Amino acid sequence: MATTLSRSVDSRPTRTQRGVLQRLRISLWMPPLVLISVLALAWQVTAVEMPFLLPPLQDVAATLATELPYYLQNAGITLFESVAGLAIGFVVAFGLAVLTSESAVIRRAVMPVAVVLNVTPLVAIAPALVVAFGFGAAPKLIITALICFFPILINTATGLRSVPQQVLQVYRTVRASRLELLLHVRVPSALPYVFAALRIVFPLSIIGAVVAELSAAGATGGLGTVISTASSMNQLAVVYASIFILALLGVALLGVITLVERRVLRWHRGTTD
Amino acid sequence: MNAGVRLHGVRKTYGDGTVALDDVSLSVPPGRFVSLIGPSGCGKSTLLRLVAGLEAQDHGQVSVHGVSPEDACAAKLIGLVPQTPALLPWLDVLRNVTLPRRMNRRAAARRAEIAGVEARAVLQEPDMLSLLARAGLAEAVHRLPSQLSGGMQQRVAIVRAFGLRPDVLLMDEPFSALDEFTREALQEQLLDLWDELQTTVLFVTHSIQEAVRLSDTVVVMAPDPGRVVDVIDIDLPRPRGQQLLEQGRFHAYEDRVRNALRGAWRVPGAA
Ligand SMILES: Nc1ncnc2c1ncn2[C@@H]1O[C@H](COP(=O)(O)OP(=O)(O)OP(=O)(O)O)[C@@H](O)[C@H]1O
Ligand SMILES: [Mg+2]
């Protein structure tokens, strides 16, 4: 859109130059690359000066390269815990959101409890859950589900009630049933809100799984377990290698959800852009 | 006669003591085109909501084809065109106009139980397509609402209501957000469709010209409390093309409505 405007401005690059620049997308990857380089340099300087603070980057790369299967196996465990926990939290929260949007009584009952749950530092429950459920997958799934629960509940409930009054009136005059309204009008209206919640909740689910693993270091493994074991043995490179993989996991999950959202909410992009 | 729309001694108040409608009686024979006009807050939308069964009156009776608004809605006798198009943004035009027909499928059986209402076959998809074409939407059938102009969206909303083959069509200022040219074109298309499907229409408007042009009868209302102050029959030939708008007898009707409205502005009790 700016191409036609900028043609008259002499100091701007010519159109062909602009074309090349745009194709390379330099403006897209240059700034983060510069920042990352600066950070990496600062990291290396720190690692050399104070080796107890940070491990040299080549050590991190070395452990990743030599023990990749070990990291991938543990990443798989953490990924499973976070996605399964999120799925459980999603089903419960979505179901409750539907119930609260259909019944004022249920809404009044559920919402205060949900808000209390939200302000409770759920991470602090993790040790108690380990005591209660042992070192298996259960406490990890519960923590993750709890952390994901509230954003999904609130967003979905808001979305289900976001249908404009006049739309509801049109479908009420043909006596659409509650189920028909829910399936054809309310749930589709809520989808943009649901995806907004998912974008918040996917990174949270990894945090939930890792925190649960940290406080229940043991049998089932996972990157959280790797981190807590390695840090007790002063293996900083292993700790940061695990953190690096966790970050990659988060980015990958966010990428997946963005792709799905693009497909499902094609209609919505036109209305907001 | 119990057909058409009837209100008798209807009163509606809201929680804060606003008397939206006070002792309103109105009888609309089937197939008539009736406009409601009056200052803001005189209860026009409230009246439509009562007829649509979206709210209940405090006193009096409202009936549609001799049955309550609730039963009329259950039999899908009523189509509503709200002030905004109220389309579903994720459905294309065709799906938007067909969705209300696919809901409440027992309506046909209920319809048969109401005396004086002919059993009508539900419009099939080809009929909807031709209806869309008649409204100038043939090209837009598979577009999303966000890809349409305001006037096109409003036409979709009208086709959606007509597609139900309603016995009563309720329209709340459907053209108020449109420019003058679009508005006149849509008036023409509305009359065209109405002529073919012969439904009873209650049409809320703020435009005197629009009311006179479209209607068999103009109902003038006044606020505080909301009431009917005048009922003016428009005895002009149809079809009412552009040239009619310049004729003296058209202006005479406009003046009558304007005078009635002027009276409506005068608040009772004020000096
Ligand atoms: N849900 C409501 N709660 C409280 N008061 C209401 C409600 N709906 C309408 N009213 C009041 O009832 C009166 C009539 O409202 P209504 O919307 O029927 O007027 P209207 O003639 O349609 O006005 P307009 O031309 O501005 O649309 C107004 O005084 C309004 O404030
Ligand atoms: Mg109104």
Side-chain angles (χ1 to χ4, degrees):
Chain A
M1 49 170 184
T3 35
T4 49
L5 285 176
S6 61
R7 260 198 293 178
S8 56
V9 183
D10 290 336
S11 60
R12 291 285 183 87
T14 66
R15 259 173 119 191
T16 46
Q17 277 176 327
R18 278 181 66 88
V20 171
L21 289 181
Q22 271 171 359
R23 216 160 306 137
L24 289 177
R25 294 177 169 229
I26 283 183
S27 63
L28 223 60
W29 53 260
M30 248 334 226
L33 193 71
V34 168
L35 182 60
I36 288 172
S37 310
V38 169
L39 288 177
L41 193 67
W43 178 300
Q44 283 301 64
V45 170
T46 315
V48 170
E49 297 291 314
M50 293 172 279
F52 48 88
L53 260 188
L54 292 174
L57 284 174
Q58 63 271 21
D59 289 9
V60 176
T63 174
L64 274 176
T66 52
E67 310 205 45
L68 192 60
Y70 170 73
Y71 287 109
L72 287 185
Q73 187 217 339
N74 283 292
I77 293 170
T78 303
L79 181 66
F80 167 77
E81 287 166 356
S82 60
V83 172
L86 187 148
I88 295 169
F90 182 86
V91 169
V92 176
F94 193 92
L96 266 182
V98 168
L99 290 179
T100 60
S101 77
E102 292 293 317
S103 154
V105 175
I106 295 180
R107 179 161 65 245
R108 279 196 294 271
V110 167
M111 282 308 172
V113 179
V115 169
V116 169
L117 198 61
N118 183 43
V119 296
T120 307
L122 291 171
V123 168
I125 303 178
L129 286 177
V130 172
V131 172
F133 294 97
F135 288 80
K140 288 138 197 171
L141 296 185
I142 293 173
I143 287 288
T144 309
L146 278 175
I147 286 183
C148 297
F149 172 79
F150 188 77
I152 297 174
L153 173 71
I154 289 300
N155 266 38
T156 309
T158 307
L160 289 171
R161 282 186 282 133
S162 71
V163 183
Q165 199 60 32
Q166 303 198 332
V167 172
L168 290 178
Q169 289 181 352
V170 165
Y171 289 94
R172 281 201 189 121
T173 53
V174 295
R175 280 297 173 277
S177 69
R178 283 184 151 202
L179 186 64
E180 284 172 329
L181 265 184
L182 185 70
L183 292 181
H184 292 286
V185 180
R186 288 193 193 274
V187 168
S189 295
L191 281 184
Y193 295 79
V194 172
F195 274 102
L198 286 179
R199 256 183 281 122
I200 296 169
V201 143
F202 261 95
L204 281 185
S205 72
I206 295 181
I207 295 177
V210 170
V211 163
E213 286 169 359
L214 284 177
S215 47
T220 48
L223 289 175
T225 311
V226 172
I227 290 173
S228 80
T229 313
S231 53
S232 69
M233 299 192 290
N234 273 332
Q235 297 172 324
L236 273 188
V238 176
V239 170
Y240 281 96
S242 304
I243 292 174
F244 176 72
I245 297 221
L246 282 173
L248 281 190
L249 273 188
V251 170
L253 286 182
L254 218 52
V256 169
I257 194 67
T258 306
L259 277 181
V260 175
E261 183 177 4
R262 285 233 179 105
R263 299 232 69 189
V264 176
L265 294 186
R266 201 168 285 158
W267 60 270
H268 193 249
R269 279 192 293 159
T271 57
T272 49
D273 287 0
Chain B
M1 177 166 52
N2 65 9
V5 177
R6 275 173 62 93
L7 291 87
H8 185 76
V10 169
R11 182 180 166 85
K12 173 74 188 173
T13 54
Y14 283 107
D16 56 354
T18 313
V19 184
L21 292 174
D22 186 25
D23 194 21
V24 169
S25 296
L26 193 65
S27 181
V28 180
R32 298 277 283 190
F33 198 120
V34 174
S35 286
L36 305 174
I37 195 167
S40 192
C42 68
K44 306 182 292 293
S45 299
T46 304
L47 197 155
L48 287 198
R49 285 199 296 272
L50 293 182
V51 175
L54 297 169
E55 285 172 14
Q57 66 275 19
D58 304 334
H59 286 292
Q61 290 96 45
V62 179
S63 71
V64 177
H65 276 285
V67 300
S68 71
E70 283 72 27
D71 291 346
C73 286
K76 290 206 203 176
L77 296 189
I78 295 176
L80 179 70
V81 181
Q83 195 166 344
T84 61
L87 304 175
L88 301 180
W90 58 89
L91 295 182
D92 66 16
V93 166
L94 184 61
R95 283 167 197 270
N96 256 295
V97 298
T98 51
L99 185 57
R101 301 182 313 130
R102 289 189 273 130
M103 292 176 162
N104 180 10
R105 288 182 178 277
R106 277 176 298 171
R110 295 192 181 119
R111 202 164 182 154
E113 289 165 15
I114 298 175
V117 176
E118 46 178 314
R120 286 171 169 167
V122 180
L123 283 186
Q124 295 305 309
E125 189 162 302
D127 305 308
M128 289 309 286
L129 285 173
S130 78
L131 210 55
L132 284 168
R134 291 268 305 280
L137 293 164
E139 311 281 283
V141 166
H142 295 298
R143 281 203 234 153
L144 293 175
S146 57
Q147 299 167 314
L148 305 179
S149 71
M152 291 167 94
Q153 292 184 20
Q154 200 62 52
R155 272 181 276 172
V156 176
I158 291 171
V159 170
R160 177 179 59 190
F162 268 111
L164 291 165
R165 296 266 209 116
D167 286 77
V168 176
L169 192 57
L170 304 173
M171 308 180 84
D172 196 350
E173 301 184 42
F175 304 147
S176 61
L178 305 176
D179 65 84
E180 192 77 22
F181 295 113
T182 315
R183 181 181 259 255
E184 284 186 7
L186 258 75
Q187 289 170 2
E188 220 140 292
Q189 281 172 338
L190 173 61
L191 286 178
D192 197 38
L193 286 172
W194 172 71
D195 203 41
E196 181 172 306
L197 295 172
Q198 287 302 334
T199 68
T200 314
V201 180
L202 282 183
F203 187 97
V204 171
T205 178
H206 277 132
S207 157
I208 295 173
Q209 191 200 46
E210 184 168 81
V212 173
R213 180 182 187 191
L214 295 175
S215 314
D216 299 313
T217 304
V218 176
V219 174
V220 182
M221 297 179 66
D224 297 315
R227 68 216 129 99
V228 173
V229 289
D230 210 348
V231 176
I232 300 167
D233 284 328
I234 309 294
D235 196 8
L236 292 172
R238 291 183 188 269
R240 297 176 182 168
Q242 285 292 328
Q243 66 285 1
L244 180 74
L245 304 186
E246 275 107 57
Q247 290 177 14
R249 49 187 177 159
F250 188 87
H251 293 309
Y253 276 118
E254 283 188 324
D255 290 339
R256 270 190 66 186
V257 174
R258 194 172 290 115
N259 283 331
L261 272 175
R262 212 163 275 150
W265 273 111
R266 232 167 280 133
V267 181

